[in-house]
Amino acid sequence: MTTTPTALSTYASHVEHVASIWSACMSNSDFDAVLIDAGEHTPYFLDDQSPPFRLNPHFGHWLPEATLVGSVIAFRPGEKPVLHMLSEADFWHAPGTKPSWAEGSIAIEIHHDRASVIEAASRQMPARSAVISPSADAALPGTTNPTNLLAALHFQRARKTPWEIAQMRQSSKRAVAGHLAAEAAFRDQRSEFDIAMAFLAASRQMATEQPYSGIVALNEHAGVLHYQHYDREPPEVHRSFLIDAGASEFGYASDITRTYAGDNQSAFAALIDDLDRAQLALIDTIAPGMSYVELHDSMAARIAALLCEHEIINTSPERAHDEGLADAFFPHGLGHLIGLQTHDVAGQQRGPEPDISKPPSRYEALRLTRTIEKDQVFTIEPGIYFIPLLLEPIRAGESAGLYNWRAIDALMPCGGIRIEDNVVVGDNGCSNLTREAFASAAQGNAS
Ligand code: GLY
Ligand code: MN
Ligand code: MN
Protein backbone atom coordinates (compact mmCIF):
# COMPACT_ATOMS: atom_id res chain seq x y z
CA MET A 1 0.00 0.00 0.00
CA THR A 2 1.41 3.38 -0.97
CA THR A 3 1.19 6.09 1.68
CA THR A 4 0.63 9.03 -0.67
CA PRO A 5 -2.18 8.85 -3.20
CA THR A 6 -1.73 9.14 -6.91
CA ALA A 7 -2.90 12.38 -8.63
CA LEU A 8 -2.39 14.34 -5.40
CA SER A 9 -2.61 17.64 -7.30
CA THR A 10 -6.33 16.97 -7.91
CA TYR A 11 -7.13 16.31 -4.22
CA ALA A 12 -7.70 19.97 -3.29
CA SER A 13 -10.39 20.40 -5.93
CA HIS A 14 -11.92 17.06 -4.86
CA VAL A 15 -12.27 18.37 -1.30
CA GLU A 16 -13.72 21.64 -2.60
CA HIS A 17 -16.27 19.65 -4.58
CA VAL A 18 -17.11 17.45 -1.58
CA ALA A 19 -17.46 20.58 0.59
CA SER A 20 -19.87 22.15 -1.89
CA ILE A 21 -22.00 18.98 -2.07
CA TRP A 22 -22.09 18.64 1.71
CA SER A 23 -22.86 22.34 2.21
CA ALA A 24 -25.81 22.19 -0.20
CA CYS A 25 -27.19 18.94 1.23
CA MET A 26 -26.79 20.21 4.81
CA SER A 27 -28.48 23.49 4.00
CA ASN A 28 -31.43 21.64 2.42
CA SER A 29 -31.74 19.54 5.57
CA ASP A 30 -31.27 22.53 7.94
CA PHE A 31 -27.94 21.54 9.43
CA ASP A 32 -25.16 24.06 10.18
CA ALA A 33 -22.39 21.60 11.00
CA VAL A 34 -21.56 17.93 10.75
CA LEU A 35 -19.36 15.45 12.60
CA ILE A 36 -18.29 12.44 10.56
CA ASP A 37 -17.13 9.49 12.63
CA ALA A 38 -14.67 7.05 11.03
CA GLY A 39 -16.05 4.27 13.24
CA GLU A 40 -14.39 1.92 15.70
CA HIS A 41 -13.54 -1.76 15.92
CA THR A 42 -16.59 -3.86 16.78
CA PRO A 43 -15.63 -7.20 18.41
CA TYR A 44 -17.29 -10.47 17.46
CA PHE A 45 -19.98 -11.73 19.83
CA LEU A 46 -18.44 -12.74 23.19
CA ASP A 47 -14.94 -12.19 21.85
CA ASP A 48 -12.09 -9.71 22.01
CA GLN A 49 -11.31 -10.09 18.28
CA SER A 50 -12.89 -7.87 15.63
CA PRO A 51 -13.56 -8.25 11.92
CA PRO A 52 -11.29 -6.11 9.73
CA PHE A 53 -12.03 -2.42 10.17
CA ARG A 54 -14.02 -0.73 7.39
CA LEU A 55 -13.94 3.06 7.24
CA ASN A 56 -17.30 4.88 7.22
CA PRO A 57 -17.58 5.71 3.47
CA HIS A 58 -18.84 9.23 4.29
CA PHE A 59 -15.54 9.82 6.09
CA GLY A 60 -13.72 8.28 3.13
CA HIS A 61 -15.40 10.73 0.76
CA TRP A 62 -13.38 13.46 2.48
CA LEU A 63 -10.34 11.50 3.49
CA PRO A 64 -9.97 7.82 2.53
CA GLU A 65 -7.19 6.82 4.92
CA ALA A 66 -8.22 3.35 6.09
CA THR A 67 -6.25 3.36 9.35
CA LEU A 68 -8.01 6.33 10.99
CA VAL A 69 -10.01 4.17 13.43
CA GLY A 70 -11.81 6.27 16.05
CA SER A 71 -11.14 9.62 14.33
CA VAL A 72 -13.74 12.29 13.54
CA ILE A 73 -13.95 14.98 10.84
CA ALA A 74 -15.73 18.20 11.83
CA PHE A 75 -17.10 20.38 9.03
CA ARG A 76 -18.95 23.69 8.91
CA PRO A 77 -19.75 25.19 5.51
CA GLY A 78 -17.29 27.96 4.64
CA GLU A 79 -14.59 26.67 7.02
CA LYS A 80 -11.67 24.31 6.52
CA PRO A 81 -12.64 20.81 7.70
CA VAL A 82 -10.75 19.51 10.73
CA LEU A 83 -9.61 15.93 11.20
CA HIS A 84 -9.57 15.03 14.90
CA MET A 85 -7.21 12.10 14.58
CA LEU A 86 -7.04 9.38 17.20
CA SER A 87 -3.45 8.30 17.73
CA GLU A 88 -3.57 6.24 20.90
CA ALA A 89 -0.65 5.79 23.25
CA ASP A 90 -0.83 2.01 22.87
CA PHE A 91 2.10 -0.40 23.02
CA TRP A 92 -0.07 -3.29 21.72
CA HIS A 93 -0.85 -1.70 18.35
CA ALA A 94 0.72 0.72 15.91
CA PRO A 95 -1.10 4.04 15.50
CA GLY A 96 -2.96 4.94 12.32
CA THR A 97 -1.16 6.76 9.53
CA LYS A 98 -1.25 10.55 9.73
CA PRO A 99 -2.46 11.68 6.29
CA SER A 100 -0.02 14.60 6.02
CA TRP A 101 -0.64 14.70 2.26
CA ALA A 102 -4.16 16.01 2.98
CA GLU A 103 -3.10 18.94 5.19
CA GLY A 104 -3.48 21.59 2.50
CA SER A 105 -7.21 20.85 2.42
CA ILE A 106 -7.96 19.41 5.86
CA ALA A 107 -6.52 20.60 9.17
CA ILE A 108 -5.26 17.82 11.42
CA GLU A 109 -5.35 17.74 15.22
CA ILE A 110 -3.92 14.71 16.99
CA HIS A 111 -5.54 13.25 20.15
CA HIS A 112 -4.35 10.36 22.27
CA ASP A 113 -7.68 8.92 23.37
CA ARG A 114 -11.19 8.70 21.97
CA ALA A 115 -12.63 10.85 24.76
CA SER A 116 -10.37 13.73 23.67
CA VAL A 117 -11.40 13.24 20.02
CA ILE A 118 -15.05 13.48 21.04
CA GLU A 119 -14.46 16.42 23.33
CA ALA A 120 -12.50 18.42 20.72
CA ALA A 121 -14.81 17.59 17.83
CA SER A 122 -17.88 18.50 19.88
CA ARG A 123 -16.54 21.88 21.05
CA GLN A 124 -18.71 24.80 19.89
CA MET A 125 -21.00 22.65 17.78
CA PRO A 126 -24.12 24.64 16.90
CA ALA A 127 -27.52 23.37 17.95
CA ARG A 128 -28.33 22.15 14.45
CA SER A 129 -25.53 19.68 13.89
CA ALA A 130 -25.64 16.24 12.29
CA VAL A 131 -23.57 13.20 13.17
CA ILE A 132 -22.75 10.60 10.51
CA SER A 133 -21.56 7.52 12.35
CA PRO A 134 -21.60 3.71 12.01
CA SER A 135 -22.69 3.68 15.66
CA ALA A 136 -26.12 4.85 16.84
CA ASP A 137 -24.57 5.95 20.16
CA ALA A 138 -21.27 7.52 19.21
CA ALA A 139 -21.53 10.10 22.04
CA LEU A 140 -21.21 12.98 19.55
CA PRO A 141 -23.64 15.92 19.73
CA GLY A 142 -26.27 16.19 17.00
CA THR A 143 -28.87 14.24 15.06
CA THR A 144 -27.37 10.87 14.15
CA ASN A 145 -27.63 9.74 10.52
CA PRO A 146 -30.62 11.87 9.46
CA THR A 147 -32.40 10.02 6.62
CA ASN A 148 -32.83 12.92 4.22
CA LEU A 149 -29.27 14.19 4.58
CA LEU A 150 -27.86 10.70 4.04
CA ALA A 151 -30.04 10.11 0.97
CA ALA A 152 -28.97 13.41 -0.60
CA LEU A 153 -25.28 12.66 0.04
CA HIS A 154 -25.62 9.12 -1.32
CA PHE A 155 -27.25 10.32 -4.51
CA GLN A 156 -24.42 12.77 -5.22
CA ARG A 157 -21.71 10.17 -4.67
CA ALA A 158 -22.52 8.40 -7.95
CA ARG A 159 -20.64 11.07 -9.92
CA LYS A 160 -16.93 10.88 -9.33
CA THR A 161 -14.29 13.62 -9.30
CA PRO A 162 -11.04 13.35 -11.28
CA TRP A 163 -9.24 12.48 -8.04
CA GLU A 164 -11.62 9.61 -7.34
CA ILE A 165 -11.32 8.32 -10.90
CA ALA A 166 -7.52 8.43 -10.61
CA GLN A 167 -7.71 6.20 -7.49
CA MET A 168 -9.99 3.77 -9.32
CA ARG A 169 -7.63 3.70 -12.30
CA GLN A 170 -4.88 2.75 -9.86
CA SER A 171 -6.97 0.09 -8.11
CA SER A 172 -7.79 -1.36 -11.54
CA LYS A 173 -4.09 -1.62 -12.35
CA ARG A 174 -3.37 -3.41 -9.08
CA ALA A 175 -6.24 -5.85 -9.61
CA VAL A 176 -5.14 -6.55 -13.18
CA ALA A 177 -1.64 -7.47 -11.99
CA GLY A 178 -3.38 -10.02 -9.77
CA HIS A 179 -5.62 -11.26 -12.59
CA LEU A 180 -2.63 -11.90 -14.84
CA ALA A 181 -0.86 -13.91 -12.11
CA ALA A 182 -4.09 -15.82 -11.45
CA GLU A 183 -4.50 -16.74 -15.11
CA ALA A 184 -0.89 -17.99 -15.18
CA ALA A 185 -1.58 -20.12 -12.08
CA PHE A 186 -4.68 -21.55 -13.79
CA ARG A 187 -2.65 -22.41 -16.90
CA ASP A 188 -0.22 -24.05 -14.50
CA GLN A 189 -3.07 -26.33 -13.28
CA ARG A 190 -3.00 -24.98 -9.72
CA SER A 191 -5.74 -25.23 -7.07
CA GLU A 192 -8.29 -22.50 -6.31
CA PHE A 193 -6.40 -21.74 -3.10
CA ASP A 194 -3.06 -21.39 -4.88
CA ILE A 195 -4.63 -19.22 -7.59
CA ALA A 196 -6.19 -16.98 -4.92
CA MET A 197 -2.80 -16.61 -3.21
CA ALA A 198 -1.16 -15.77 -6.56
CA PHE A 199 -3.80 -13.06 -7.08
CA LEU A 200 -3.22 -11.52 -3.65
CA ALA A 201 0.56 -11.53 -3.92
CA ALA A 202 0.60 -9.94 -7.39
CA SER A 203 -2.01 -7.32 -6.47
CA ARG A 204 -0.04 -6.50 -3.30
CA GLN A 205 -2.88 -6.94 -0.81
CA MET A 206 -3.85 -9.00 2.20
CA ALA A 207 -7.12 -10.93 1.82
CA THR A 208 -8.76 -8.51 4.28
CA GLU A 209 -7.73 -5.46 2.23
CA GLN A 210 -9.70 -6.54 -0.83
CA PRO A 211 -12.85 -4.50 -1.48
CA TYR A 212 -14.76 -7.83 -1.47
CA SER A 213 -13.72 -11.47 -1.07
CA GLY A 214 -12.28 -12.56 -4.38
CA ILE A 215 -14.17 -15.30 -6.23
CA VAL A 216 -11.83 -17.97 -7.63
CA ALA A 217 -13.87 -20.72 -9.26
CA LEU A 218 -12.73 -23.71 -11.31
CA ASN A 219 -15.05 -25.83 -13.47
CA GLU A 220 -18.64 -26.22 -12.11
CA HIS A 221 -17.85 -23.71 -9.33
CA ALA A 222 -17.96 -20.96 -11.97
CA GLY A 223 -21.72 -21.51 -12.02
CA VAL A 224 -22.06 -20.44 -8.36
CA LEU A 225 -22.43 -16.68 -8.70
CA HIS A 226 -20.65 -15.74 -5.45
CA TYR A 227 -18.64 -18.95 -4.96
CA GLN A 228 -16.85 -18.48 -1.64
CA HIS A 229 -14.58 -21.50 -1.03
CA TYR A 230 -11.01 -22.13 -2.08
CA ASP A 231 -10.33 -25.82 -2.74
CA ARG A 232 -6.84 -26.66 -1.55
CA GLU A 233 -6.37 -29.46 -4.10
CA PRO A 234 -6.42 -28.93 -7.86
CA PRO A 235 -9.20 -30.68 -9.79
CA GLU A 236 -8.36 -33.54 -12.18
CA VAL A 237 -8.98 -31.31 -15.20
CA HIS A 238 -8.94 -27.53 -15.57
CA ARG A 239 -11.90 -27.00 -17.93
CA SER A 240 -12.72 -23.43 -16.94
CA PHE A 241 -11.73 -20.63 -14.59
CA LEU A 242 -13.78 -17.64 -13.44
CA ILE A 243 -12.08 -15.00 -11.31
CA ASP A 244 -14.03 -12.05 -9.89
CA ALA A 245 -11.53 -10.10 -7.81
CA GLY A 246 -10.62 -6.46 -7.26
CA ALA A 247 -8.30 -4.19 -5.35
CA SER A 248 -8.69 -1.09 -3.23
CA GLU A 249 -6.67 2.11 -3.62
CA PHE A 250 -7.20 4.78 -0.98
CA GLY A 251 -10.62 3.29 -0.35
CA TYR A 252 -11.67 3.15 -4.02
CA ALA A 253 -12.59 -0.26 -5.37
CA SER A 254 -12.12 -2.07 -8.63
CA ASP A 255 -14.37 -5.06 -9.35
CA ILE A 256 -13.14 -7.17 -12.26
CA THR A 257 -14.18 -10.56 -13.64
CA ARG A 258 -12.54 -12.66 -16.32
CA THR A 259 -13.31 -16.20 -17.50
CA TYR A 260 -10.90 -18.57 -19.22
CA ALA A 261 -11.29 -21.92 -20.96
CA GLY A 262 -8.78 -24.73 -20.42
CA ASP A 263 -9.13 -25.66 -24.09
CA ASN A 264 -9.00 -22.61 -26.37
CA GLN A 265 -10.63 -24.55 -29.23
CA SER A 266 -13.70 -25.60 -27.21
CA ALA A 267 -17.34 -24.51 -27.55
CA PHE A 268 -16.94 -22.87 -24.12
CA ALA A 269 -13.99 -20.80 -25.37
CA ALA A 270 -16.04 -19.65 -28.39
CA LEU A 271 -18.86 -18.59 -26.08
CA ILE A 272 -16.41 -16.58 -23.91
CA ASP A 273 -15.07 -14.77 -26.98
CA ASP A 274 -18.55 -13.91 -28.21
CA LEU A 275 -19.73 -12.68 -24.82
CA ASP A 276 -16.60 -10.55 -24.61
CA ARG A 277 -17.39 -8.98 -27.99
CA ALA A 278 -21.04 -8.44 -27.03
CA GLN A 279 -20.00 -6.76 -23.76
CA LEU A 280 -17.68 -4.35 -25.61
CA ALA A 281 -20.37 -3.62 -28.22
CA LEU A 282 -22.82 -2.78 -25.44
CA ILE A 283 -20.30 -0.48 -23.72
CA ASP A 284 -19.90 1.34 -27.05
CA THR A 285 -23.58 2.35 -26.91
CA ILE A 286 -23.42 3.99 -23.44
CA ALA A 287 -24.20 7.71 -23.31
CA PRO A 288 -25.51 10.16 -20.71
CA GLY A 289 -29.30 10.23 -20.59
CA MET A 290 -29.78 6.50 -21.21
CA SER A 291 -31.56 4.31 -18.72
CA TYR A 292 -29.43 1.61 -17.11
CA VAL A 293 -32.50 -0.66 -17.04
CA GLU A 294 -32.71 -0.40 -20.84
CA LEU A 295 -29.01 -1.15 -21.03
CA HIS A 296 -29.61 -4.34 -19.06
CA ASP A 297 -32.47 -5.24 -21.41
CA SER A 298 -30.24 -4.65 -24.42
CA MET A 299 -27.60 -6.98 -22.94
CA ALA A 300 -30.24 -9.61 -22.23
CA ALA A 301 -31.29 -9.42 -25.92
CA ARG A 302 -27.66 -9.81 -27.03
CA ILE A 303 -27.24 -12.85 -24.78
CA ALA A 304 -30.45 -14.41 -26.14
CA ALA A 305 -29.08 -13.91 -29.67
CA LEU A 306 -25.75 -15.49 -28.71
CA LEU A 307 -27.44 -18.54 -27.23
CA CYS A 308 -29.40 -18.97 -30.48
CA GLU A 309 -26.25 -18.51 -32.57
CA HIS A 310 -24.45 -21.16 -30.52
CA GLU A 311 -27.48 -23.45 -30.96
CA ILE A 312 -28.12 -23.64 -27.24
CA ILE A 313 -31.62 -22.26 -27.79
CA ASN A 314 -33.38 -23.36 -30.99
CA THR A 315 -35.59 -20.47 -31.98
CA SER A 316 -35.29 -16.90 -33.27
CA PRO A 317 -33.29 -14.39 -31.17
CA GLU A 318 -36.38 -12.14 -31.00
CA ARG A 319 -38.60 -14.89 -29.64
CA ALA A 320 -35.88 -16.08 -27.25
CA HIS A 321 -35.63 -12.56 -25.80
CA ASP A 322 -39.33 -11.65 -25.86
CA GLU A 323 -40.32 -14.87 -24.10
CA GLY A 324 -37.42 -14.71 -21.60
CA LEU A 325 -36.03 -18.06 -22.77
CA ALA A 326 -32.46 -16.93 -21.99
CA ASP A 327 -33.18 -15.33 -18.62
CA ALA A 328 -32.13 -18.40 -16.59
CA PHE A 329 -28.67 -18.19 -18.19
CA PHE A 330 -28.20 -14.56 -17.01
CA PRO A 331 -29.85 -14.39 -13.59
CA HIS A 332 -28.09 -11.34 -12.14
CA GLY A 333 -28.01 -7.63 -12.87
CA LEU A 334 -25.83 -6.08 -15.57
CA GLY A 335 -23.96 -3.99 -13.00
CA HIS A 336 -23.85 -1.49 -10.18
CA LEU A 337 -22.30 1.81 -9.16
CA ILE A 338 -18.80 1.45 -7.76
CA GLY A 339 -16.52 3.75 -5.77
CA LEU A 340 -15.86 3.85 -2.04
CA GLN A 341 -17.97 0.70 -1.88
CA THR A 342 -17.91 -2.21 -4.32
CA HIS A 343 -21.67 -1.89 -4.60
CA ASP A 344 -21.79 1.87 -4.14
CA VAL A 345 -24.90 3.34 -2.53
CA ALA A 346 -27.92 4.88 -4.26
CA GLY A 347 -28.02 2.73 -7.40
CA GLN A 348 -31.81 2.65 -7.27
CA GLN A 349 -32.38 6.15 -5.88
CA ARG A 350 -34.62 8.37 -8.05
CA GLY A 351 -33.14 11.66 -6.87
CA PRO A 352 -31.72 13.30 -3.74
CA GLU A 353 -34.75 12.12 -1.74
CA PRO A 354 -34.80 8.60 -0.31
CA ASP A 355 -37.34 7.30 -2.91
CA ILE A 356 -36.34 4.17 -4.74
CA SER A 357 -36.95 3.10 -8.33
CA LYS A 358 -37.24 -0.67 -8.25
CA PRO A 359 -36.15 -2.70 -11.27
CA PRO A 360 -38.84 -4.43 -13.35
CA SER A 361 -39.75 -7.86 -11.92
CA ARG A 362 -38.09 -9.63 -14.87
CA TYR A 363 -34.76 -8.09 -13.83
CA GLU A 364 -35.34 -7.98 -10.09
CA ALA A 365 -31.64 -8.53 -9.21
CA LEU A 366 -30.62 -5.29 -10.94
CA ARG A 367 -28.89 -2.96 -8.45
CA LEU A 368 -28.72 0.06 -10.75
CA THR A 369 -31.89 1.63 -12.15
CA ARG A 370 -30.75 5.25 -12.52
CA THR A 371 -30.41 7.38 -15.58
CA ILE A 372 -26.84 7.32 -16.82
CA GLU A 373 -24.92 10.57 -16.19
CA LYS A 374 -21.49 11.86 -17.04
CA ASP A 375 -18.85 10.96 -14.41
CA GLN A 376 -20.79 8.02 -13.04
CA VAL A 377 -18.63 4.94 -12.61
CA PHE A 378 -20.31 1.55 -12.82
CA THR A 379 -19.67 -2.04 -13.77
CA ILE A 380 -20.81 -3.81 -16.93
CA GLU A 381 -20.80 -7.50 -16.06
CA PRO A 382 -22.87 -9.75 -18.31
CA GLY A 383 -22.82 -13.49 -17.69
CA ILE A 384 -23.91 -16.78 -19.23
CA TYR A 385 -24.17 -19.62 -16.70
CA PHE A 386 -25.19 -23.27 -16.76
CA ILE A 387 -26.76 -23.56 -13.31
CA PRO A 388 -28.56 -26.86 -12.67
CA LEU A 389 -30.87 -25.27 -10.07
CA LEU A 390 -32.23 -22.86 -12.70
CA LEU A 391 -32.10 -25.11 -15.78
CA GLU A 392 -33.59 -28.35 -14.45
CA PRO A 393 -37.09 -26.86 -14.00
CA ILE A 394 -36.92 -25.69 -17.66
CA ARG A 395 -35.85 -29.16 -18.81
CA ALA A 396 -38.93 -30.51 -17.04
CA GLY A 397 -41.20 -27.74 -18.37
CA GLU A 398 -43.33 -27.00 -21.43
CA SER A 399 -40.67 -25.13 -23.41
CA ALA A 400 -37.96 -27.81 -22.97
CA GLY A 401 -38.12 -28.59 -26.71
CA LEU A 402 -36.73 -25.13 -27.52
CA TYR A 403 -33.39 -25.93 -25.86
CA ASN A 404 -30.47 -28.09 -26.99
CA TRP A 405 -29.92 -30.19 -23.88
CA ARG A 406 -26.99 -32.06 -25.34
CA ALA A 407 -25.10 -28.76 -25.74
CA ILE A 408 -26.18 -27.57 -22.30
CA ASP A 409 -25.06 -30.81 -20.64
CA ALA A 410 -21.71 -30.51 -22.37
CA LEU A 411 -21.26 -26.93 -21.05
CA MET A 412 -22.52 -27.51 -17.50
CA PRO A 413 -19.15 -28.85 -16.23
CA CYS A 414 -17.65 -25.45 -17.18
CA GLY A 415 -20.05 -23.63 -14.82
CA GLY A 416 -20.37 -20.27 -16.48
CA ILE A 417 -18.89 -17.08 -17.85
CA ARG A 418 -18.81 -13.55 -16.47
CA ILE A 419 -16.90 -10.62 -17.93
CA GLU A 420 -16.85 -7.51 -15.78
CA ASP A 421 -15.35 -4.11 -16.55
CA ASN A 422 -15.52 -0.80 -14.66
CA VAL A 423 -16.39 2.17 -16.87
CA VAL A 424 -16.47 5.95 -16.41
CA VAL A 425 -19.18 7.77 -18.36
CA GLY A 426 -17.96 10.67 -20.48
CA ASP A 427 -19.76 13.14 -22.78
CA ASN A 428 -19.13 10.87 -25.74
CA GLY A 429 -18.74 7.30 -24.65
CA CYS A 430 -16.94 5.69 -21.73
CA SER A 431 -13.42 5.23 -20.47
CA ASN A 432 -12.99 1.58 -19.66
CA LEU A 433 -10.71 1.48 -16.60
CA THR A 434 -10.42 -2.30 -16.76
CA ARG A 435 -9.50 -2.67 -20.43
CA GLU A 436 -7.07 0.24 -20.11
CA ALA A 437 -5.35 -1.53 -17.19
CA PHE A 438 -5.09 -4.82 -19.11
CA ALA A 439 -3.74 -2.96 -22.19
CA SER A 440 -1.18 -1.07 -20.13
CA ALA A 441 -0.03 -4.32 -18.45
CA ALA A 442 0.33 -5.97 -21.87
CA GLN A 443 2.34 -2.99 -23.10
CA GLY A 444 4.56 -3.17 -20.00
CA ASN A 445 5.17 -6.88 -20.61
CA ALA A 446 6.00 -6.26 -24.26
CA SER A 447 8.54 -3.48 -23.60
N1 GLY B 1 -17.92 -9.04 -7.10
C1 GLY B 1 -19.28 -8.72 -6.87
C2 GLY B 1 -19.90 -8.16 -8.06
O1 GLY B 1 -19.41 -8.32 -9.15
O2 GLY B 1 -20.83 -7.42 -7.98
MN1 MN C 1 -19.66 -6.23 -9.77
MN1 MN D 1 -17.39 -8.65 -9.48
Side-chain angles (χ1 to χ4, degrees):
M1 181 93 169
T2 45
T3 48
T4 305
T6 189
L8 191 53
S9 62
T10 57
Y11 178 66
S13 63
H14 167 76
V15 173
E16 275 169 30
H17 175 79
V18 171
S20 76
I21 287 176
W22 280 65
S23 301
C25 294
M26 287 162 64
S27 158
N28 288 341
S29 301
D30 279 334
F31 289 109
D32 301 323
V34 68
L35 294 174
I36 312 155
D37 185 11
E40 294 182 278
H41 288 294
T42 320
Y44 295 113
F45 183 51
L46 301 179
D47 207 330
D48 64 354
Q49 302 293 310
S50 305
F53 176 70
R54 280 270 166 133
L55 190 68
N56 170 0
H58 288 284
F59 189 110
H61 201 198
W62 291 90
L63 184 50
E65 170 48 62
T67 61
L68 292 176
V69 184
S71 302
V72 171
I73 293 173
F75 173 63
R76 293 174 192 237
E79 294 179 16
K80 191 173 184 178
V82 182
L83 167 67
H84 295 280
M85 179 179 164
L86 176 60
S87 181
E88 278 180 302
D90 175 4
F91 57 84
W92 294 97
H93 304 101
T97 308
K98 183 181 174 190
S100 303
W101 53 266
E103 269 179 310
S105 300
I106 297 183
I108 301 180
E109 288 183 17
I110 307 281
H111 306 277
H112 297 298
D113 54 51
R114 172 82 173 167
S116 311
V117 168
I118 291 176
E119 199 272 319
S122 307
R123 215 175 291 142
Q124 295 174 343
M125 271 291 123
R128 295 184 310 175
S129 62
V131 174
I132 311 294
S133 174
S135 164
D137 46 19
L140 290 161
T143 310
T144 304
N145 300 330
T147 308
N148 288 342
L149 176 59
L150 282 188
L153 292 168
H154 288 169
F155 188 73
Q156 302 290 350
R157 242 175 56 203
R159 296 183 65 170
K160 306 303 194 267
T161 63
W163 187 77
E164 292 179 293
I165 292 166
Q167 305 317 310
M168 296 177 84
R169 190 162 268 128
Q170 204 61 23
S171 72
S172 302
K173 281 189 180 165
R174 289 240 322 282
V176 161
H179 273 255
L180 295 175
E183 188 201 350
F186 165 67
R187 300 287 176 213
D188 213 16
Q189 320 271 299
R190 308 281 288 279
S191 68
E192 291 171 344
F193 178 83
D194 286 341
I195 296 172
M197 292 300 120
F199 171 82
L200 290 174
S203 59
R204 310 296 295 156
Q205 47 186 347
M206 305 292 289
T208 51
E209 290 168 345
Q210 296 174 103
Y212 58 94
S213 294
I215 298 165
V216 172
L218 293 172
N219 302 340
E220 290 87 349
H221 296 160
V224 180
L225 298 183
H226 283 173
Y227 176 70
Q228 74 277 40
H229 303 305
Y230 303 94
D231 276 356
R232 267 48 172 184
E233 296 301 321
E236 277 177 21
V237 281
H238 284 66
R239 285 183 293 270
S240 61
F241 170 41
L242 183 153
I243 173 165
D244 181 345
S248 181
E249 183 78 13
F250 278 90
Y252 286 87
S254 54
D255 176 7
I256 299 174
T257 310
R258 287 295 181 266
T259 311
Y260 304 97
D263 173 1
N264 284 333
Q265 302 305 315
S266 61
F268 187 67
L271 203 54
I272 295 175
D273 287 347
D274 281 348
L275 184 63
D276 192 66
R277 272 190 278 277
Q279 188 247 24
L280 284 174
L282 183 86
I283 291 173
D284 273 346
T285 68
I286 296 174
M290 287 172 74
S291 139
Y292 196 91
V293 177
E294 282 169 24
L295 202 64
H296 178 107
D297 186 62
S298 169
M299 192 69 235
R302 288 164 200 260
I303 286 174
L306 265 184
L307 292 174
C308 294
E309 221 173 277
H310 284 252
E311 298 180 350
I312 292 166
I313 297 178
N314 297 322
T315 184
S316 70
E318 294 74 23
R319 181 176 173 202
H321 181 54
D322 292 348
E323 297 185 13
L325 300 178
D327 290 3
F329 295 90
F330 178 32
H332 60 71
L334 177 64
H336 49 85
L337 296 170
I338 181 166
L340 285 162
Q341 292 162 292
T342 305
H343 299 154
D344 225 357
V345 283
Q348 298 184 338
Q349 219 167 295
R350 281 179 206 280
E353 296 78 32
D355 308 331
I356 294 292
S357 178
K358 285 206 169 134
S361 56
R362 179 172 173 186
Y363 304 135
E364 64 175 1
L366 189 54
R367 289 188 166 96
L368 179 49
T369 57
R370 284 170 67 161
T371 301
I372 293 171
E373 289 175 72
K374 184 175 183 300
D375 299 330
Q376 285 179 346
V377 185
F378 48 68
T379 68
I380 297 290
E381 49 180 304
I384 296 178
Y385 308 89
F386 302 92
I387 304 174
L389 199 68
L390 300 179
L391 295 177
E392 292 312 330
I394 298 176
R395 197 197 295 258
E398 282 173 4
S399 54
L402 295 169
Y403 295 82
N404 177 351
W405 294 103
R406 187 194 289 264
I408 292 171
D409 286 338
L411 288 161
M412 236 172 225
C414 293
I417 305 167
R418 178 160 67 255
I419 295 166
E420 175 173 27
D421 290 352
N422 306 164
V423 303
V424 186
V425 181
D427 281 323
N428 303 300
C430 295
S431 306
N432 188 324
L433 300 179
T434 310
R435 302 273 172 169
E436 285 166 17
F438 273 107
S440 130
Q443 232 172 20
N445 288 341
S447 60

